[in-house]
Amino acid sequence: MPARDEIKNRIHVLRTRWESYVADGTFDQFIEFTVAINSLAEHFNRMRLPGLVRICEGLEKAALTYLGTPASHPLGQQVIAALQRQVDTLAGAIANSQPKLQKRRADDAPRETPDAEWVKPRSVWLIVAPEMQSMADALTRQMGFFGFKTLALPWGGAKPDDDMPLAVIFIPAPDTTSAAEHAYIAKVRTRCAASQLIYLGAPSDIEAIVELMRAGLDVTLPQEEGASTVLSCVLDLVQNHEPDKYRVLVVEDSRVAATLIQRTLAEHNLDSQVVLDPRKLLEEVESYRPDLILMDMHMPRFNGVEATRVLRQMAAYKSLPIVYLSGEADIGMQVEALRLGGDQFLSKPFNPVLLTAVVKTKIERFREMQRSTRVDGLTGLMNHTAAKSLLKSMMERCEPTDSLTVAMIDIDHFKSINDTYGHPVGDQVIRSLAWLLKGRLRSTDLIGRYGGEEFLIALPGIAPQQALQVIDRIRNDFSILPHAHPSGTLFASFSAGVAAWPNFDTAASLTEAADHALLQAKRYGRNRVESSENLFTMYREKEPEVQQHH
Ligand code: GH3
Ligand code: MG
């Protein structure tokens, strides 16, 4: 379902549930309403729309305050009227935040997900104090290199009504926080509910930062951190952070209970699969690769604790979160179950708000732990191992008629950049290339840091000729991107080798072929893209001139 419809759908569900609560006033209806708010907040969070998340969270907090017990319902008229206002504010903010469909650059690789279009307007507003104009100019130039369109607005000035920016960056004059400034930020916040608000000029005093955040900012950065940190913040926004849905394996022999659990999980956009016959558990865990298991306590043949013990003595599942769900009220039994390897105990009948909260926080922690072993610290890209394994699974999904193009990219004469300007400058060049790749490629593409100054990318679903063009354009743009060093700027370039499925049909042979092509590109003079076969003779740009970085 396109994202736009999905949002419409979710707000509709929320409204309907609210209306049925207002009509009948039961506890269960109120829970359903709370669940709907949470699910909307989650959706906005995934889409990285912080302003809307904030409004949802305000409503959710109010709802949870009044949740109480069945005896607290129906709520009084005043409370209902207050909640009604919050529901209306939320609906209004959503309606105002819908950006016009962005026209993508015609020569871009096609972006197939409308989700991406909703979240990826590439316009950025700069709201700048007059004395900070030169900083704004530098930022505008840099953003331009990464494909962002910036619009400079005077501090306190009017805002265009036909644009919904991805981010708004405030660059204040030094030491100027005032009530008027807060009021202005709050106004921008209301106008741009879905945008990330970044303040480049954070005071060192925590109370002043709290005030600014209360006014509606999302991020405050010290001015000396300058353009590169802002750029990295903005680039982060166009990345889909967790493209993968959370997966929950429900081990439950009662079909009715399983259906109920799945329904609750689905409302929170959690993917789930049921194992009705616990004898199939090991196969299911292996094929579904859950992030968490919801384990029934009492099952035929063996119980949940015994099943958990089996999993825990297998290396692959030592840290997989396992949550017991049981009608068992005996505390001694619960303690024993936890001692034998479970992470938490929830009792049946379950409270949906509590169930999803437990499931989500456990999965977040689990993913975070796994993430730290998969992400490269310097660039935030996938590391060697993670990139290799993702490529392998992308290839396993390839049908004979699909397209998948792989490129190996290596920065030219990098050793001499390090030798001439020092390691930190070298690091910044690596980071800039990582940002450029992130900014230019789609969220469905693989981008990994394969080695020191070597990157692996994979572009699924577009013809190899087109992929080659995309990579070659990035090559060209990287070669004219200035990198700052203590006494000026330097230029760098990269070479790339490209190979495509189905000419090569394993991850190993594809990367090897791309590597060969890369060597060829180096031999032919660097700052160029070569392909592993004649596949690409249809596309040849004018011979690129060999460029030295100094
Ligand atoms: P070529 O054009 O043939 O690729 O030459 P090159 O100098 O880029 O290649 P070479 O493999 O000789 O040198 C790569 C250098 O990259 C060597 C290594 O010290 C440096 N390097 C590797 N990882 C990092 C890193 O994380 N940061 C920095 N600053 N340098 C790194
Ligand atoms: Mg190199």
Side-chain angles (χ1 to χ4, degrees), residues 344-373:
Q344 186 139 359
F345 209 104
L346 292 175
S347 50
K348 283 199 274 194
F350 62 88
N351 174 324
V353 177
L354 185 61
L355 176 74
T356 45
V358 167
V359 165
K360 275 190 199 154
T361 46
K362 295 250 177 263
I363 294 182
E364 268 158 28
R365 261 213 230 121
F366 178 64
R367 287 253 175 128
E368 194 51 46
M369 199 180 69
Q370 289 198 314
R371 209 182 99 82
S372 60
T373 64

PDB file of all heavy atoms in Angstrom, residues 344-373:
ATOM      1  N   GLN A 344      11.555 -12.637  29.830  1.00  0.00           N
ATOM      2  CA  GLN A 344      10.467 -11.962  30.528  1.00  0.00           C
ATOM      3  C   GLN A 344       9.245 -12.874  30.572  1.00  0.00           C
ATOM      4  O   GLN A 344       9.099 -13.782  29.778  1.00  0.00           O
ATOM      5  CB  GLN A 344      10.100 -10.665  29.814  1.00  0.00           C
ATOM      6  CG  GLN A 344       9.085  -9.850  30.564  1.00  0.00           C
ATOM      7  CD  GLN A 344       9.406  -8.374  30.531  1.00  0.00           C
ATOM      8  OE1 GLN A 344      10.408  -7.962  29.957  1.00  0.00           O
ATOM      9  NE2 GLN A 344       8.564  -7.577  31.152  1.00  0.00           N
ATOM     10  N   PHE A 345       8.370 -12.583  31.495  1.00  0.00           N
ATOM     11  CA  PHE A 345       7.189 -13.398  31.690  1.00  0.00           C
ATOM     12  C   PHE A 345       5.969 -12.496  31.586  1.00  0.00           C
ATOM     13  O   PHE A 345       5.858 -11.514  32.297  1.00  0.00           O
ATOM     14  CB  PHE A 345       7.252 -13.994  33.096  1.00  0.00           C
ATOM     15  CG  PHE A 345       6.548 -15.298  33.195  1.00  0.00           C
ATOM     16  CD1 PHE A 345       7.267 -16.483  33.238  1.00  0.00           C
ATOM     17  CD2 PHE A 345       5.167 -15.356  33.237  1.00  0.00           C
ATOM     18  CE1 PHE A 345       6.625 -17.699  33.315  1.00  0.00           C
ATOM     19  CE2 PHE A 345       4.520 -16.558  33.312  1.00  0.00           C
ATOM     20  CZ  PHE A 345       5.243 -17.754  33.354  1.00  0.00           C
ATOM     21  N   LEU A 346       5.058 -12.805  30.663  1.00  0.00           N
ATOM     22  CA  LEU A 346       3.818 -12.028  30.595  1.00  0.00           C
ATOM     23  C   LEU A 346       2.656 -12.978  30.824  1.00  0.00           C
ATOM     24  O   LEU A 346       2.683 -14.118  30.367  1.00  0.00           O
ATOM     25  CB  LEU A 346       3.668 -11.382  29.209  1.00  0.00           C
ATOM     26  CG  LEU A 346       4.664 -10.281  28.847  1.00  0.00           C
ATOM     27  CD1 LEU A 346       4.450  -9.834  27.416  1.00  0.00           C
ATOM     28  CD2 LEU A 346       4.537  -9.106  29.807  1.00  0.00           C
ATOM     29  N   SER A 347       1.625 -12.473  31.529  1.00  0.00           N
ATOM     30  CA  SER A 347       0.536 -13.405  31.808  1.00  0.00           C
ATOM     31  C   SER A 347      -0.612 -13.233  30.823  1.00  0.00           C
ATOM     32  O   SER A 347      -0.815 -12.170  30.245  1.00  0.00           O
ATOM     33  CB  SER A 347       0.058 -13.210  33.240  1.00  0.00           C
ATOM     34  OG  SER A 347      -0.168 -11.846  33.459  1.00  0.00           O
ATOM     35  N   LYS A 348      -1.312 -14.337  30.594  1.00  0.00           N
ATOM     36  CA  LYS A 348      -2.497 -14.349  29.734  1.00  0.00           C
ATOM     37  C   LYS A 348      -3.727 -14.236  30.623  1.00  0.00           C
ATOM     38  O   LYS A 348      -3.716 -14.807  31.711  1.00  0.00           O
ATOM     39  CB  LYS A 348      -2.557 -15.668  28.952  1.00  0.00           C
ATOM     40  CG  LYS A 348      -1.602 -15.712  27.783  1.00  0.00           C
ATOM     41  CD  LYS A 348      -1.986 -16.788  26.779  1.00  0.00           C
ATOM     42  CE  LYS A 348      -1.418 -18.134  27.137  1.00  0.00           C
ATOM     43  NZ  LYS A 348      -1.469 -19.144  26.078  1.00  0.00           N
ATOM     44  N   PRO A 349      -4.807 -13.566  30.223  1.00  0.00           N
ATOM     45  CA  PRO A 349      -4.925 -12.851  28.956  1.00  0.00           C
ATOM     46  C   PRO A 349      -4.016 -11.625  28.958  1.00  0.00           C
ATOM     47  O   PRO A 349      -3.877 -10.961  29.978  1.00  0.00           O
ATOM     48  CB  PRO A 349      -6.394 -12.442  28.931  1.00  0.00           C
ATOM     49  CG  PRO A 349      -6.829 -12.435  30.353  1.00  0.00           C
ATOM     50  CD  PRO A 349      -6.029 -13.491  31.040  1.00  0.00           C
ATOM     51  N   PHE A 350      -3.385 -11.370  27.815  1.00  0.00           N
ATOM     52  CA  PHE A 350      -2.366 -10.320  27.789  1.00  0.00           C
ATOM     53  C   PHE A 350      -2.984  -8.956  27.556  1.00  0.00           C
ATOM     54  O   PHE A 350      -4.036  -8.823  26.954  1.00  0.00           O
ATOM     55  CB  PHE A 350      -1.327 -10.623  26.722  1.00  0.00           C
ATOM     56  CG  PHE A 350      -1.886 -10.660  25.318  1.00  0.00           C
ATOM     57  CD1 PHE A 350      -1.973  -9.498  24.570  1.00  0.00           C
ATOM     58  CD2 PHE A 350      -2.310 -11.860  24.764  1.00  0.00           C
ATOM     59  CE1 PHE A 350      -2.466  -9.528  23.281  1.00  0.00           C
ATOM     60  CE2 PHE A 350      -2.813 -11.893  23.474  1.00  0.00           C
ATOM     61  CZ  PHE A 350      -2.899 -10.720  22.734  1.00  0.00           C
ATOM     62  N   ASN A 351      -2.305  -7.958  28.062  1.00  0.00           N
ATOM     63  CA  ASN A 351      -2.681  -6.574  27.794  1.00  0.00           C
ATOM     64  C   ASN A 351      -1.921  -6.144  26.537  1.00  0.00           C
ATOM     65  O   ASN A 351      -0.701  -6.186  26.502  1.00  0.00           O
ATOM     66  CB  ASN A 351      -2.275  -5.736  29.007  1.00  0.00           C
ATOM     67  CG  ASN A 351      -2.488  -4.250  28.777  1.00  0.00           C
ATOM     68  OD1 ASN A 351      -2.301  -3.751  27.678  1.00  0.00           O
ATOM     69  ND2 ASN A 351      -2.875  -3.561  29.827  1.00  0.00           N
ATOM     70  N   PRO A 352      -2.644  -5.767  25.472  1.00  0.00           N
ATOM     71  CA  PRO A 352      -1.965  -5.509  24.192  1.00  0.00           C
ATOM     72  C   PRO A 352      -0.931  -4.382  24.270  1.00  0.00           C
ATOM     73  O   PRO A 352       0.095  -4.432  23.600  1.00  0.00           O
ATOM     74  CB  PRO A 352      -3.104  -5.143  23.244  1.00  0.00           C
ATOM     75  CG  PRO A 352      -4.284  -4.857  24.086  1.00  0.00           C
ATOM     76  CD  PRO A 352      -4.101  -5.606  25.365  1.00  0.00           C
ATOM     77  N   VAL A 353      -1.202  -3.375  25.093  1.00  0.00           N
ATOM     78  CA  VAL A 353      -0.261  -2.259  25.198  1.00  0.00           C
ATOM     79  C   VAL A 353       1.048  -2.745  25.814  1.00  0.00           C
ATOM     80  O   VAL A 353       2.149  -2.469  25.329  1.00  0.00           O
ATOM     81  CB  VAL A 353      -0.866  -1.106  26.033  1.00  0.00           C
ATOM     82  CG1 VAL A 353       0.141   0.022  26.205  1.00  0.00           C
ATOM     83  CG2 VAL A 353      -2.132  -0.593  25.388  1.00  0.00           C
ATOM     84  N   LEU A 354       0.908  -3.545  26.871  1.00  0.00           N
ATOM     85  CA  LEU A 354       2.087  -4.067  27.551  1.00  0.00           C
ATOM     86  C   LEU A 354       2.830  -5.064  26.659  1.00  0.00           C
ATOM     87  O   LEU A 354       4.053  -5.023  26.526  1.00  0.00           O
ATOM     88  CB  LEU A 354       1.648  -4.753  28.853  1.00  0.00           C
ATOM     89  CG  LEU A 354       2.770  -5.242  29.752  1.00  0.00           C
ATOM     90  CD1 LEU A 354       3.637  -4.062  30.183  1.00  0.00           C
ATOM     91  CD2 LEU A 354       2.208  -5.964  30.972  1.00  0.00           C
ATOM     92  N   LEU A 355       2.073  -5.945  26.006  1.00  0.00           N
ATOM     93  CA  LEU A 355       2.698  -6.953  25.145  1.00  0.00           C
ATOM     94  C   LEU A 355       3.558  -6.288  24.073  1.00  0.00           C
ATOM     95  O   LEU A 355       4.731  -6.616  23.907  1.00  0.00           O
ATOM     96  CB  LEU A 355       1.630  -7.828  24.476  1.00  0.00           C
ATOM     97  CG  LEU A 355       2.188  -8.854  23.485  1.00  0.00           C
ATOM     98  CD1 LEU A 355       2.876 -10.006  24.185  1.00  0.00           C
ATOM     99  CD2 LEU A 355       1.117  -9.389  22.552  1.00  0.00           C
ATOM    100  N   THR A 356       2.982  -5.316  23.354  1.00  0.00           N
ATOM    101  CA  THR A 356       3.766  -4.720  22.272  1.00  0.00           C
ATOM    102  C   THR A 356       4.911  -3.884  22.812  1.00  0.00           C
ATOM    103  O   THR A 356       5.973  -3.837  22.203  1.00  0.00           O
ATOM    104  CB  THR A 356       2.886  -3.874  21.339  1.00  0.00           C
ATOM    105  OG1 THR A 356       2.034  -3.088  22.134  1.00  0.00           O
ATOM    106  CG2 THR A 356       2.077  -4.728  20.420  1.00  0.00           C
ATOM    107  N   ALA A 357       4.713  -3.252  23.949  1.00  0.00           N
ATOM    108  CA  ALA A 357       5.815  -2.460  24.518  1.00  0.00           C
ATOM    109  C   ALA A 357       6.991  -3.372  24.857  1.00  0.00           C
ATOM    110  O   ALA A 357       8.142  -3.068  24.542  1.00  0.00           O
ATOM    111  CB  ALA A 357       5.346  -1.708  25.757  1.00  0.00           C
ATOM    112  N   VAL A 358       6.700  -4.514  25.477  1.00  0.00           N
ATOM    113  CA  VAL A 358       7.770  -5.454  25.840  1.00  0.00           C
ATOM    114  C   VAL A 358       8.446  -5.987  24.576  1.00  0.00           C
ATOM    115  O   VAL A 358       9.675  -5.982  24.448  1.00  0.00           O
ATOM    116  CB  VAL A 358       7.206  -6.632  26.680  1.00  0.00           C
ATOM    117  CG1 VAL A 358       8.210  -7.761  26.785  1.00  0.00           C
ATOM    118  CG2 VAL A 358       6.809  -6.144  28.064  1.00  0.00           C
ATOM    119  N   VAL A 359       7.638  -6.416  23.617  1.00  0.00           N
ATOM    120  CA  VAL A 359       8.192  -6.991  22.393  1.00  0.00           C
ATOM    121  C   VAL A 359       9.101  -5.979  21.694  1.00  0.00           C
ATOM    122  O   VAL A 359      10.225  -6.275  21.306  1.00  0.00           O
ATOM    123  CB  VAL A 359       7.046  -7.453  21.456  1.00  0.00           C
ATOM    124  CG1 VAL A 359       7.549  -7.706  20.049  1.00  0.00           C
ATOM    125  CG2 VAL A 359       6.384  -8.705  22.022  1.00  0.00           C
ATOM    126  N   LYS A 360       8.603  -4.752  21.579  1.00  0.00           N
ATOM    127  CA  LYS A 360       9.383  -3.757  20.831  1.00  0.00           C
ATOM    128  C   LYS A 360      10.684  -3.377  21.524  1.00  0.00           C
ATOM    129  O   LYS A 360      11.722  -3.279  20.886  1.00  0.00           O
ATOM    130  CB  LYS A 360       8.550  -2.501  20.629  1.00  0.00           C
ATOM    131  CG  LYS A 360       7.693  -2.641  19.427  1.00  0.00           C
ATOM    132  CD  LYS A 360       7.084  -1.323  19.116  1.00  0.00           C
ATOM    133  CE  LYS A 360       5.901  -1.507  18.235  1.00  0.00           C
ATOM    134  NZ  LYS A 360       4.960  -0.413  18.401  1.00  0.00           N
ATOM    135  N   THR A 361      10.619  -3.146  22.834  1.00  0.00           N
ATOM    136  CA  THR A 361      11.854  -2.720  23.498  1.00  0.00           C
ATOM    137  C   THR A 361      12.895  -3.842  23.470  1.00  0.00           C
ATOM    138  O   THR A 361      14.073  -3.588  23.275  1.00  0.00           O
ATOM    139  CB  THR A 361      11.616  -2.275  24.949  1.00  0.00           C
ATOM    140  OG1 THR A 361      10.791  -3.246  25.573  1.00  0.00           O
ATOM    141  CG2 THR A 361      10.934  -0.935  25.022  1.00  0.00           C
ATOM    142  N   LYS A 362      12.439  -5.080  23.639  1.00  0.00           N
ATOM    143  CA  LYS A 362      13.395  -6.189  23.586  1.00  0.00           C
ATOM    144  C   LYS A 362      14.020  -6.296  22.195  1.00  0.00           C
ATOM    145  O   LYS A 362      15.217  -6.506  22.059  1.00  0.00           O
ATOM    146  CB  LYS A 362      12.700  -7.523  23.907  1.00  0.00           C
ATOM    147  CG  LYS A 362      12.179  -7.598  25.311  1.00  0.00           C
ATOM    148  CD  LYS A 362      12.998  -8.574  26.137  1.00  0.00           C
ATOM    149  CE  LYS A 362      12.538  -8.612  27.561  1.00  0.00           C
ATOM    150  NZ  LYS A 362      13.308  -7.768  28.446  1.00  0.00           N
ATOM    151  N   ILE A 363      13.191  -6.128  21.161  1.00  0.00           N
ATOM    152  CA  ILE A 363      13.724  -6.251  19.801  1.00  0.00           C
ATOM    153  C   ILE A 363      14.666  -5.098  19.492  1.00  0.00           C
ATOM    154  O   ILE A 363      15.721  -5.280  18.897  1.00  0.00           O
ATOM    155  CB  ILE A 363      12.583  -6.323  18.752  1.00  0.00           C
ATOM    156  CG1 ILE A 363      11.806  -7.616  18.943  1.00  0.00           C
ATOM    157  CG2 ILE A 363      13.154  -6.251  17.339  1.00  0.00           C
ATOM    158  CD1 ILE A 363      10.699  -7.835  17.946  1.00  0.00           C
ATOM    159  N   GLU A 364      14.285  -3.888  19.927  1.00  0.00           N
ATOM    160  CA  GLU A 364      15.166  -2.747  19.674  1.00  0.00           C
ATOM    161  C   GLU A 364      16.554  -3.003  20.246  1.00  0.00           C
ATOM    162  O   GLU A 364      17.568  -2.779  19.591  1.00  0.00           O
ATOM    163  CB  GLU A 364      14.593  -1.475  20.313  1.00  0.00           C
ATOM    164  CG  GLU A 364      13.715  -0.698  19.353  1.00  0.00           C
ATOM    165  CD  GLU A 364      12.749   0.215  20.071  1.00  0.00           C
ATOM    166  OE1 GLU A 364      13.067   0.658  21.195  1.00  0.00           O
ATOM    167  OE2 GLU A 364      11.664   0.476  19.507  1.00  0.00           O
ATOM    168  N   ARG A 365      16.588  -3.480  21.485  1.00  0.00           N
ATOM    169  CA  ARG A 365      17.879  -3.762  22.110  1.00  0.00           C
ATOM    170  C   ARG A 365      18.652  -4.828  21.370  1.00  0.00           C
ATOM    171  O   ARG A 365      19.850  -4.734  21.146  1.00  0.00           O
ATOM    172  CB  ARG A 365      17.677  -4.201  23.545  1.00  0.00           C
ATOM    173  CG  ARG A 365      17.924  -3.026  24.358  1.00  0.00           C
ATOM    174  CD  ARG A 365      18.515  -3.191  25.665  1.00  0.00           C
ATOM    175  NE  ARG A 365      17.591  -2.403  26.452  1.00  0.00           N
ATOM    176  CZ  ARG A 365      16.907  -2.874  27.436  1.00  0.00           C
ATOM    177  NH1 ARG A 365      17.118  -4.092  27.857  1.00  0.00           N
ATOM    178  NH2 ARG A 365      16.070  -2.122  28.051  1.00  0.00           N
ATOM    179  N   PHE A 366      17.923  -5.863  20.982  1.00  0.00           N
ATOM    180  CA  PHE A 366      18.551  -6.977  20.266  1.00  0.00           C
ATOM    181  C   PHE A 366      19.130  -6.498  18.936  1.00  0.00           C
ATOM    182  O   PHE A 366      20.275  -6.780  18.590  1.00  0.00           O
ATOM    183  CB  PHE A 366      17.486  -8.061  20.044  1.00  0.00           C
ATOM    184  CG  PHE A 366      17.965  -9.264  19.280  1.00  0.00           C
ATOM    185  CD1 PHE A 366      18.951 -10.090  19.803  1.00  0.00           C
ATOM    186  CD2 PHE A 366      17.404  -9.587  18.048  1.00  0.00           C
ATOM    187  CE1 PHE A 366      19.377 -11.217  19.105  1.00  0.00           C
ATOM    188  CE2 PHE A 366      17.820 -10.708  17.349  1.00  0.00           C
ATOM    189  CZ  PHE A 366      18.814 -11.525  17.873  1.00  0.00           C
ATOM    190  N   ARG A 367      18.332  -5.696  18.215  1.00  0.00           N
ATOM    191  CA  ARG A 367      18.813  -5.195  16.924  1.00  0.00           C
ATOM    192  C   ARG A 367      20.004  -4.266  17.094  1.00  0.00           C
ATOM    193  O   ARG A 367      20.934  -4.290  16.308  1.00  0.00           O
ATOM    194  CB  ARG A 367      17.681  -4.438  16.223  1.00  0.00           C
ATOM    195  CG  ARG A 367      16.608  -5.338  15.676  1.00  0.00           C
ATOM    196  CD  ARG A 367      16.698  -5.399  14.170  1.00  0.00           C
ATOM    197  NE  ARG A 367      15.758  -6.336  13.615  1.00  0.00           N
ATOM    198  CZ  ARG A 367      14.897  -6.039  12.640  1.00  0.00           C
ATOM    199  NH1 ARG A 367      14.851  -4.821  12.158  1.00  0.00           N
ATOM    200  NH2 ARG A 367      14.109  -6.962  12.155  1.00  0.00           N
ATOM    201  N   GLU A 368      19.920  -3.435  18.142  1.00  0.00           N
ATOM    202  CA  GLU A 368      21.012  -2.488  18.392  1.00  0.00           C
ATOM    203  C   GLU A 368      22.308  -3.252  18.657  1.00  0.00           C
ATOM    204  O   GLU A 368      23.375  -2.915  18.149  1.00  0.00           O
ATOM    205  CB  GLU A 368      20.642  -1.607  19.595  1.00  0.00           C
ATOM    206  CG  GLU A 368      21.497  -0.386  19.787  1.00  0.00           C
ATOM    207  CD  GLU A 368      21.635   0.450  18.521  1.00  0.00           C
ATOM    208  OE1 GLU A 368      20.620   0.721  17.837  1.00  0.00           O
ATOM    209  OE2 GLU A 368      22.789   0.802  18.205  1.00  0.00           O
ATOM    210  N   MET A 369      22.189  -4.313  19.418  1.00  0.00           N
ATOM    211  CA  MET A 369      23.352  -5.123  19.737  1.00  0.00           C
ATOM    212  C   MET A 369      23.916  -5.756  18.455  1.00  0.00           C
ATOM    213  O   MET A 369      25.118  -5.789  18.239  1.00  0.00           O
ATOM    214  CB  MET A 369      22.905  -6.218  20.704  1.00  0.00           C
ATOM    215  CG  MET A 369      23.988  -6.869  21.486  1.00  0.00           C
ATOM    216  SD  MET A 369      23.224  -8.110  22.544  1.00  0.00           S
ATOM    217  CE  MET A 369      22.692  -9.333  21.352  1.00  0.00           C
ATOM    218  N   GLN A 370      23.013  -6.237  17.624  1.00  0.00           N
ATOM    219  CA  GLN A 370      23.476  -6.841  16.381  1.00  0.00           C
ATOM    220  C   GLN A 370      24.059  -5.797  15.436  1.00  0.00           C
ATOM    221  O   GLN A 370      25.016  -6.055  14.736  1.00  0.00           O
ATOM    222  CB  GLN A 370      22.307  -7.533  15.689  1.00  0.00           C
ATOM    223  CG  GLN A 370      21.874  -8.771  16.403  1.00  0.00           C
ATOM    224  CD  GLN A 370      21.063  -9.628  15.472  1.00  0.00           C
ATOM    225  OE1 GLN A 370      20.177  -9.124  14.771  1.00  0.00           O
ATOM    226  NE2 GLN A 370      21.346 -10.905  15.447  1.00  0.00           N
ATOM    227  N   ARG A 371      23.413  -4.611  15.455  1.00  0.00           N
ATOM    228  CA  ARG A 371      23.837  -3.544  14.572  1.00  0.00           C
ATOM    229  C   ARG A 371      25.303  -3.162  14.807  1.00  0.00           C
ATOM    230  O   ARG A 371      26.068  -2.972  13.877  1.00  0.00           O
ATOM    231  CB  ARG A 371      22.963  -2.314  14.835  1.00  0.00           C
ATOM    232  CG  ARG A 371      22.762  -1.400  13.670  1.00  0.00           C
ATOM    233  CD  ARG A 371      21.909  -0.219  14.123  1.00  0.00           C
ATOM    234  NE  ARG A 371      22.753   0.920  14.405  1.00  0.00           N
ATOM    235  CZ  ARG A 371      23.218   1.752  13.482  1.00  0.00           C
ATOM    236  NH1 ARG A 371      22.887   1.576  12.228  1.00  0.00           N
ATOM    237  NH2 ARG A 371      23.988   2.744  13.795  1.00  0.00           N
ATOM    238  N   SER A 372      25.681  -3.096  16.091  1.00  0.00           N
ATOM    239  CA  SER A 372      27.034  -2.653  16.393  1.00  0.00           C
ATOM    240  C   SER A 372      28.071  -3.616  15.819  1.00  0.00           C
ATOM    241  O   SER A 372      29.208  -3.244  15.610  1.00  0.00           O
ATOM    242  CB  SER A 372      27.208  -2.493  17.897  1.00  0.00           C
ATOM    243  OG  SER A 372      26.962  -3.723  18.521  1.00  0.00           O
ATOM    244  N   THR A 373      27.662  -4.839  15.532  1.00  0.00           N
ATOM    245  CA  THR A 373      28.630  -5.752  14.933  1.00  0.00           C
ATOM    246  C   THR A 373      28.569  -5.691  13.402  1.00  0.00           C
ATOM    247  O   THR A 373      29.341  -6.338  12.734  1.00  0.00           O
ATOM    248  CB  THR A 373      28.371  -7.209  15.374  1.00  0.00           C
ATOM    249  OG1 THR A 373      27.098  -7.612  14.868  1.00  0.00           O
ATOM    250  CG2 THR A 373      28.373  -7.348  16.879  1.00  0.00           C
TER     251      THR A 373
END
